[in-house]
Amino acid sequence: MKVSAVFKFRSPEIRALHLTWIAFFITFYVWFNMAPLASSMLKSVDWLTTDDLKLFAICNVALTIPARIIVGMALDRFGPRRVFSVLMVSMSLPALAFAFGNSMTQLLVARLVLSSIGASFVVGIHMTALWFKPKDIGFAEGFYAGWGNFGSAVAAMSLPTIALSMYGGPDGWRWAIAQSAIVMAAYGVYYWFAITDGPDAQAHRKPRKSAAMEVSSWGDMIKLIIWTIPLVGVLAILVWRIQYMGYLSVTGATIAYLAIIAIVIYQIVQILRVNLPILRKGVPEDDKYSFNSVAALNSTYFANFGAELAVVSMLPMFFEETWGLNAATAGLIAASFAFVNLVARPMGGMVSDRMGNRRFVMLCYMFGISVGFLLMALLNSSWPLILAIAVTIGTSIFVQGAEGATFGIIPSIKRRITGQISGMAGAYGNVGAVVYLTIFTFVTPSQFFYIIATGAFISWVICLVWLKEPEGAFDDEYYVSSVDRDIEEQALQNAKH
C-alpha cells in the first residue's frame, strides 16, 4: 500500500480508515481536554486547588486499563461499529458532567468515568483490521493511530483559544469542554450509520466465548493468567498514590485494594471457564496459536507507548531546567516528541508491511528505542541544544514506529480474537505509563531515561525469544481455521432458526 492511497477517498477501505481515525481523534481530543484548561479552571473556581487537578490527572487514566480489556471483549462480540458509536455517545455524558460540575465530588467521579474513553484506541485498531488485507495492515494501523493520537495535541493547542476567544468569561472553559463532548456524541451517531464492520458480513469473525481470551494449550492458559494479573493489579499503584496525596482514607484504600483483588480473581475464573472446556476437548492443529507472541507484544507496548506517555509528561520541565529555557520554548521543543507521531507511526507500520518480516522490524525498533533512551540519559547542559533536540526526535521516531509495528502484527496472530489481543496489548501501554510515572517520582531524569532504556531492551530480549513471525502476514486474505468455519456455520444456522 502506497502513501498516496490515503487520498483515494472513493475507495471503501480508505473511506473507512478516515472515518475511523477521525473518531479516534475526537475521543482523544475529549480525553485530554482538561490539562490545557487547568489554569482557567483554577481562576474561575475558588474551591479547586492544584492538588485537586493532580488527582483528576490520576483519575484520567485510572479506568482506561480495565476499560480496554472490557472493550476488547465487546469488540469480538458486537463489532467495532456498535462499540465505537456507543462509546462516543455514552462518554459524552461524563464529559458534560465534568464541564458543568459544581463540586469536587462531581468533577472527580466524572473524570474517573471519562477515563474509560481511552479504550477508544483498540476499537479503531479492530475496525481497521477488518477493512484491510494482511499485506497492508501495518501502514493502515499506523496511519489510524498516528493521526488519531494527534487529537491530544490539537486539544492542547486549540481549547484555550476556544475557551478565551469564542466563549470568554469565567465559564469559558466549561463551554469549551461541553462543546467537545457534544461534537463527540454527534459523531458517534453519525459513525453508526456511516460505516460497516468490514467490507462484508464475513469480515467480523466472532470468538466462541468473549468473556476471556481463548488459548491453545495448558501452558498458554497459565501464561494468560500471569499476564492478566498486572492489568488490574497496577490499579493498586494508583490507589496508593491517591491515598498518599491524602484524598483516600486507610479504610477507603483497603476497600479499593480488596475490590482489585476481587476483580483479578473474577478474571482468572473467567479464563478458566472459557478455556478449560476448550482444552479438555482439544484444540485442532489448524486453530492453534502461540500466546508467547501476545506476551511479547504486551511487553513492546509497555515499553514503547508506556514510555511515550511518561516521557511526554516530564520532557518540558527537563528541557526547561537543563538548558535554562523559558516554559514556552521548552514546551515547544518537548512537543516535537508527540508531533513526530503523524509520520513515525504510519512509517513504522509501512516498514513492517514492506520489509517482508514483521518480527525483524519489531526487533529493530525495540533495539533502537533502548539506544535512543540510553543517549537521552547522557544529555546534560554541556550538550548543544540542537543536538539534544535531534536525539529526542530520533528516539521518538523509534518509539512511535515501534507502536505502529506492534499493531502491524496483532491482527495476524489470531483473527477472531483480534479485539481481545488489541485490548490486552493496548492496556499494557497504560500499565507501562503508570509504572514509569510512579518510578519517575523517585529518580532523576537521567536515571529515568536509563530505566526506560532498560525496559525497552528487556522487551527486545522477550521478542527475540518469544515473538514469532505470523503466518500469512503478507497474504491477500486472513487465515481461516476449521473452528472459524464451524462458528460461522453455527451462526448461520442460528440465524435461520
Side-chain angles (χ1 to χ4, degrees):
M1 180 177 175
K2 296 180 179 179
V3 176
S4 59
V6 299
F7 298 106
K8 297 178 179 177
F9 300 108
R10 292 185 179 180
S11 170
E13 63 268 23
I14 297 301
R15 181 174 178 273
L17 177 62
H18 288 300
L19 286 171
T20 303
W21 80 254
I22 291 171
F24 178 38
F25 177 97
I26 293 171
T27 58
F28 261 50
Y29 187 96
V30 173
W31 191 18
F32 291 97
N33 63 13
M34 183 187 74
L37 300 171
S39 58
S40 298
M41 293 172 65
L42 290 173
K43 291 176 184 176
S44 68
V45 183
D46 56 11
W47 42 266
L48 269 183
T49 67
T50 303
D51 284 340
D52 292 333
L53 293 180
K54 289 179 180 178
L55 178 60
F56 294 160
I58 295 172
C59 292
N60 203 43
V61 299
L63 296 185
T64 303
I65 298 168
R68 287 192 173 191
I69 301 302
I70 295 168
V71 165
M73 295 174 183
L75 280 173
D76 290 329
R77 182 171 182 179
F78 300 110
R81 176 183 68 91
R82 294 176 180 176
V83 174
F84 222 153
S85 295
V86 170
L87 187 67
M88 284 188 277
V89 173
S90 62
M91 284 298 106
S92 67
L93 300 178
L96 288 169
F98 185 84
F100 300 111
N102 54 19
S103 73
M104 172 66 179
T105 302
Q106 287 180 358
L107 293 181
L108 181 69
V109 173
R111 208 73 221 176
L112 188 64
V113 176
L114 184 59
S115 67
S116 300
I117 202 174
S120 61
F121 169 70
V122 299
V123 186
I125 284 289
H126 192 54
M127 177 64 89
T128 305
L130 294 179
W131 275 96
F132 285 85
K133 307 295 185 186
K135 61 182 180 180
D136 298 323
I137 194 63
F139 176 75
E141 299 282 29
F143 184 88
Y144 155 78
W147 283 76
N149 223 351
F150 196 58
S152 58
V154 175
M157 292 186 287
S158 65
L159 279 170
T161 302
I162 293 172
L164 295 173
S165 302
M166 185 179 294
Y167 295 107
D171 288 335
W173 68 270
R174 294 184 182 276
W175 290 105
I177 289 176
Q179 176 183 292
S180 68
I182 292 168
V183 169
M184 181 170 70
Y187 194 83
V189 174
Y190 170 72
Y191 193 80
W192 181 283
F193 298 101
I195 198 170
T196 58
D197 290 329
D200 53 57
Q202 284 71 44
H204 178 229
R205 297 185 178 276
K206 297 182 180 181
R208 288 172 288 197
K209 301 281 186 179
S210 58
M213 190 184 299
E214 298 175 25
V215 294
S216 302
S217 70
W218 296 100
D220 282 356
M221 185 174 71
I222 300 300
K223 292 172 189 173
L224 174 59
I225 291 172
I226 292 171
W227 282 85
T228 297
I229 292 171
L231 292 175
V232 178
V234 74
L235 294 178
I237 295 176
L238 293 175
V239 173
W240 169 76
R241 287 181 67 182
I242 294 172
Q243 183 188 5
Y244 181 78
M245 291 173 67
Y247 290 100
L248 193 62
S249 66
V250 174
T251 302
T254 302
I255 293 171
Y257 289 135
L258 291 174
I260 290 170
I261 293 170
I263 294 171
V264 169
I265 293 172
Y266 173 77
Q267 287 187 308
I268 293 172
V269 169
Q270 291 299 103
I271 291 171
L272 296 174
R273 286 182 62 188
V274 167
N275 286 290
L276 286 178
I278 294 173
L279 295 175
R280 284 170 181 161
K281 183 180 179 181
V283 180
E285 283 298 322
D286 71 334
D287 195 56
K288 290 182 177 180
Y289 76 98
S290 173
F291 182 80
N292 283 353
S293 290
V294 178
L297 296 176
N298 290 344
S299 79
T300 65
Y301 218 60
F302 178 104
N304 53 47
F305 188 66
E308 180 188 350
L309 290 181
V311 169
V312 165
S313 67
M314 54 76 68
L315 211 51
M317 187 174 292
F318 171 69
F319 273 99
E320 186 177 347
E321 293 179 350
T322 304
W323 282 274
L325 307 174
N326 60 51
T329 303
L332 187 62
I333 292 172
S336 64
F337 199 93
F339 268 88
V340 173
N341 236 328
L342 290 173
V343 176
R345 193 151 182 170
M347 185 174 70
M350 186 168 63
V351 171
S352 180
D353 288 341
R354 295 188 178 181
M355 283 291 289
N357 190 319
R358 298 193 189 278
R359 177 180 179 274
F360 175 75
V361 172
M362 191 78 256
L363 287 168
C364 290
Y365 269 116
M366 293 312 298
F367 192 78
I369 292 174
S370 61
V371 173
F373 281 126
L374 188 63
L375 289 174
M376 290 186 71
L378 301 176
L379 293 178
N380 56 54
S381 57
S382 66
W383 285 57
L385 180 59
I386 187 67
L387 186 56
I389 295 172
V391 169
T392 300
I393 292 175
T395 303
S396 180
I397 289 173
F398 278 99
V399 169
Q400 289 153 17
E403 294 165 9
T406 296
F407 282 91
I409 296 175
I410 283 176
S412 298
I413 293 178
K414 192 64 184 170
R415 179 66 164 169
R416 69 173 180 271
I417 56 171
T418 294
Q420 289 168 301
I421 297 174
S422 298
M424 190 175 203
Y428 259 96
N430 288 82
V431 173
V434 171
V435 171
Y436 283 144
L437 283 171
T438 303
I439 291 173
F440 182 62
T441 61
F442 300 103
V443 299
T444 65
S446 178
Q447 292 170 332
F448 180 64
F449 289 131
Y450 276 124
I451 289 168
I452 54 181
T454 302
F457 183 75
I458 291 171
S459 175
W460 178 82
V461 172
I462 292 173
C463 288
L464 186 66
V465 177
W466 278 356
L467 184 61
K468 294 182 179 180
E469 178 68 12
E471 293 183 18
F474 301 94
D475 291 348
D476 288 328
E477 299 294 341
Y478 287 97
Y479 176 75
V480 178
S481 72
S482 58
V483 175
D484 292 324
R485 290 190 291 271
D486 289 343
I487 294 172
E488 189 175 329
E489 289 174 7
Q490 186 64 45
L492 290 173
Q493 289 178 5
N494 292 338
K496 289 178 182 179
H497 295 302

